[in-house]
Amino acid sequence: MPSIFVKFNQVIKGVCVIEIIDVVDTMKFRADQVRNMNQKIAFVPTMGFLHEGHLALLDKGKHIADHLVLSIFVNPTQFSQTEDYTIYPKNLEKDLSLAEQYGVDTVFTPDKETMYPSNYQSYVYLEHLPNFLCGRSRPTHFKGVTTIVTKLFNIVKPHYAIFGEKDYQQLAIIRHMVRDLNMDIQVIGLPIVREADGLAMSSRNSYLNPEQRKIACCLYQCITLAKKMVASGEKNASTIIETASNHIRSYIETRIDYLNISNTETLEDIKIIDQPALFALAVYVGKTRLIDNTILNPL
């Protein structure tokens, strides 16, 4: 039996404690304890800097399981050398306070050396789904995502894993990986949580200055525009993409990574929208890369 080194924060009206664990063997042992009591574990993996989107995931987890685990780990293997790993926003104290408020039972907060020790060599990747959308401009990203998610699944041992649909491709990849590798985990996706003006909630929104924050609404405006075009009978994907692209380019400080209309299962580009299709976009506002998506339903 491993030694248990658990830090505690006394919370929730003095009745419960939230466990803060940063050791892999300790987290595995705690998960085994919960499972041995025939309790269900819900798991929300995050990189921290929690916002309302994350909190919706935690709320779902609290309602479907007996024990709720939140992980906070900024995963270096999903960032390229030119991306924002070293400056990714962090506020652990605030994250733990929110975790307390939402009834999280255990927070797993490993460091980089814990998850990727010296001479680390093993990675998990899919052959097809990562080759589209974000994977085209971030070719190593999803190998990092699937690797860390697999590791976290092995450590936390959840019955349910909960993700947001804002990262549609990520969710599709994780679901496919779980199915392919026969993982005994139910993957749950929840709808995008948006600001009042439609901007999808993201930790990276904190990078935007006030003027950029206004400009960032162009992503949601494109989604609204695409939906209206489809509702009016437009089925030509290139026409919708061109219209949306022109709208984004009308704003200063924007640069399009991609705008795609894709098959909802394979993520392959489609030309004619004759069945529900994914409209996904990634746009730089200043130096900040934002993503969003919706499902277009033809008449």
Side-chain angles (χ1 to χ4, degrees):
M1 179 183 302
S3 299
I4 301 297
F5 299 98
V6 182
K7 294 176 284 187
F8 292 97
N9 280 6
Q10 190 74 32
V11 298
I12 312 177
K13 300 179 181 178
V15 176
C16 302
V17 291
I18 182 170
E19 303 166 298
I20 307 170
I21 300 176
D22 56 11
V23 177
V24 167
D25 284 346
T26 304
M27 185 67 248
K28 292 172 72 175
F29 180 74
R30 186 70 182 103
D32 285 338
Q33 283 184 316
V34 174
R35 280 178 164 267
N36 288 340
M37 291 187 290
N38 292 320
Q39 293 185 348
K40 300 290 187 181
I41 298 173
F43 177 42
V44 178
T46 77
M47 295 202 297
F49 210 72
L50 303 183
H51 53 69
E52 291 292 335
H54 296 117
L55 300 181
L57 308 183
L58 294 176
D59 188 60
K60 177 68 172 181
K62 196 64 182 177
H63 283 87
I64 63 174
D66 307 292
H67 194 95
L68 177 58
V69 180
L70 164 72
S71 69
I72 299 174
F73 177 65
V74 182
N75 175 38
T77 64
Q78 66 191 67
F79 292 80
S80 73
Q81 291 183 347
T82 62
E83 292 179 331
D84 57 346
Y85 170 67
T86 58
I87 62 170
Y88 194 84
K90 302 177 182 68
N91 190 335
L92 183 59
E93 182 178 355
K94 181 181 177 182
D95 289 346
L96 294 177
S97 176
L98 289 169
E100 294 167 0
Q101 293 174 38
Y102 276 76
V104 173
D105 298 290
T106 302
V107 181
F108 182 46
T109 60
D111 59 23
K112 181 174 68 173
E113 290 71 27
T114 297
M115 298 305 287
Y116 298 102
S118 177
N119 201 31
Y120 187 88
Q121 301 180 44
S122 302
Y123 294 88
V124 179
Y125 68 95
L126 279 70
E127 291 187 348
H128 183 72
L129 286 179
N131 297 329
F132 304 96
L133 303 177
C134 290
R136 288 171 173 158
S137 58
R138 306 181 74 193
T140 63
H141 172 69
F142 287 113
K143 183 176 77 170
V145 170
T146 48
T147 297
I148 193 60
V149 170
T150 299
K151 288 172 67 68
L152 289 169
F153 283 175
N154 287 336
I155 295 165
V156 176
K157 307 179 184 182
H159 299 82
Y160 309 101
I162 310 168
F163 298 85
E165 293 177 352
K166 180 173 74 72
D167 296 302
Y168 186 100
Q169 185 176 17
Q170 172 180 277
L171 178 58
I173 286 170
I174 290 169
R175 280 177 166 155
H176 213 292
M177 178 186 74
V178 165
R179 183 166 63 247
D180 285 351
L181 299 183
N182 305 112
M183 296 179 177
D184 192 14
I185 299 170
Q186 182 179 341
V187 177
I188 298 171
L190 293 188
I192 297 171
V193 177
R194 300 184 179 278
E195 303 281 359
D197 58 7
L199 180 65
M201 289 194 173
S202 169
S203 300
R204 287 187 170 93
N205 291 348
S206 64
Y207 295 156
L208 302 169
N209 65 36
E211 185 60 31
Q212 291 169 341
R213 174 61 184 78
K214 295 176 183 176
I215 293 169
C217 292
C218 68
L219 278 79
Y220 184 64
Q221 291 165 4
C222 281
I223 283 176
T224 302
L225 182 61
K227 284 186 171 182
K228 287 181 178 178
M229 292 178 72
V230 171
S232 298
E234 181 62 65
K235 295 187 176 182
N236 191 309
S238 63
T239 300
I240 295 171
I241 290 171
E242 182 179 5
T243 302
S245 297
N246 289 337
H247 181 76
I248 289 173
R249 293 192 181 104
S250 69
Y251 288 86
I252 61 171
E253 290 198 77
T254 60
R255 176 167 61 88
I256 296 171
D257 183 351
Y258 67 79
L259 275 77
N260 275 83
I261 296 179
S262 310
N263 181 285
T264 58
E265 296 295 327
T266 67
L267 303 185
E268 295 173 334
D269 297 354
I270 62 173
K271 295 181 179 181
I272 301 298
I273 305 171
D274 55 6
Q275 59 185 346
L278 172 69
F279 177 50
L281 57 164
V283 176
Y284 285 90
V285 178
K287 295 182 179 180
T288 304
R289 185 178 183 274
L290 304 175
I291 62 172
D292 207 337
N293 71 80
T294 193
I295 301 299
L296 301 176
N297 293 294
L299 295 175

